[in-house]
Amino acid sequence: MARRIRLAKPGAEIPFTGERATPFVTEPLLAEHLHRYFTALDLCAGRKVLDIACGEGYGAALMALNGAAAVTGIDIDAATIERARRVYSLPRLRFETGDAQQPLALATGSVDLVTCFETIEHVVAQEALLAELARILAPDGVLLISTPDRERAGAETSPNPFHERELSLAEFRALLAPHFPHLTLRHQRQLTGSVLSDPEAGFTAEQVFWEREGFLEFSAAARPSAPRFFLIAASRVAPVALPTGLLHDGRILASLRKALRAARG
């Protein structure tokens, strides 16, 4: 299917600390963040959306520009929210200051879709957060939530100082299950390299993923290995269909190659 979307113009650049993504980031992690929001677009059409811990606001603006009936972005940082109001002044979009670890100023059952990306690992009272998100969701509402895999490669040697509690897949499911009986899981990780596809059918059942394991060593598998993140669509009424696929950002790869050439002198 052919589809084209656009991001809202973000205005002035803000510094990247390594944690709060912005459209100005020229690192591969932006592709991870964008891919989650692109996945939310099919779910937000005609719906009232809450983007909890919305950060700089580009994701909430993206949904407001691409079909959502109304979008509220909530973040704990007042200065960030004030900037979001200024640079993303759009119909059907508002930003409010709020703490994801406190009760939200939203009526019970008033939201159709909650996007909660890379947030729960920052929260101590994770059970309380999920109970609050379940409260504000309509009975047929959907929670689209992501978190890093606690067992991902390198997590044990390079812990993220901003994270209170990371989760394994079993722990993540166990937190969601009391509120949402239907969980649709997708694995997410960065990929850099090449794609072979059938021009008539896209990807095929015979797909092979090659993974570099060293300077001269590669291994092959039927699916990508070692997920870095889990993305789950959680609901109470019925399972939610989530796509699989790729996000290719050649501009970021070009910027990385330019940086590498500069580092080599």
Side-chain angles (χ1 to χ4, degrees), residues 36-37 39-52 63 68 70-72 106 109-117 133 136-138 140-145 232-234 240 242:
R36 296 173 200 130
Y37 278 113
T39 301
L41 293 184
D42 286 338
L43 299 176
C44 78
R47 291 184 159 190
K48 297 177 182 178
V49 181
L50 168 65
D51 189 20
I52 188 71
M63 291 186 285
V71 181
T72 300
L106 293 167
S110 62
V111 175
D112 301 310
L113 172 68
V114 173
T115 51
C116 181
F117 298 145
L133 297 181
I136 66 170
L137 273 170
D140 61 347
V142 175
L143 168 63
L144 189 61
I145 181 170
I232 286 181
V240 176
L242 281 183

Side-chain angles (χ1 to χ4, degrees), residues 75-96:
D75 196 87
I76 194 172
D77 188 74
T80 298
I81 287 296
E82 180 56 37
R83 176 187 179 276
R85 289 171 177 162
R86 185 174 67 255
V87 303
Y88 297 121
S89 179
L90 297 168
R92 303 183 298 281
L93 174 62
R94 67 186 181 98
F95 291 98
E96 302 291 343

Side-chain angles (χ1 to χ4, degrees), residues 163-220:
H163 292 181
E164 295 288 349
R165 179 193 172 201
E166 293 189 351
L167 302 167
S168 67
L169 179 55
E171 291 166 339
F172 194 26
R173 288 183 182 273
L175 278 171
L176 291 164
H179 306 286
F180 304 100
H182 302 287
L183 304 177
T184 303
L185 170 68
R186 295 291 181 262
H187 285 172
Q188 184 183 29
R189 59 165 294 188
Q190 296 172 10
L191 294 176
T192 302
S194 167
V195 173
L196 284 175
S197 60
D198 183 332
E200 300 298 328
F203 294 101
T204 67
E206 295 77 26
Q207 61 192 5
V208 177
F209 292 90
W210 288 94
E211 182 89 16
R212 183 187 288 274
E213 295 186 343
F215 180 55
L216 298 174
E217 297 179 4
F218 292 80
S219 63

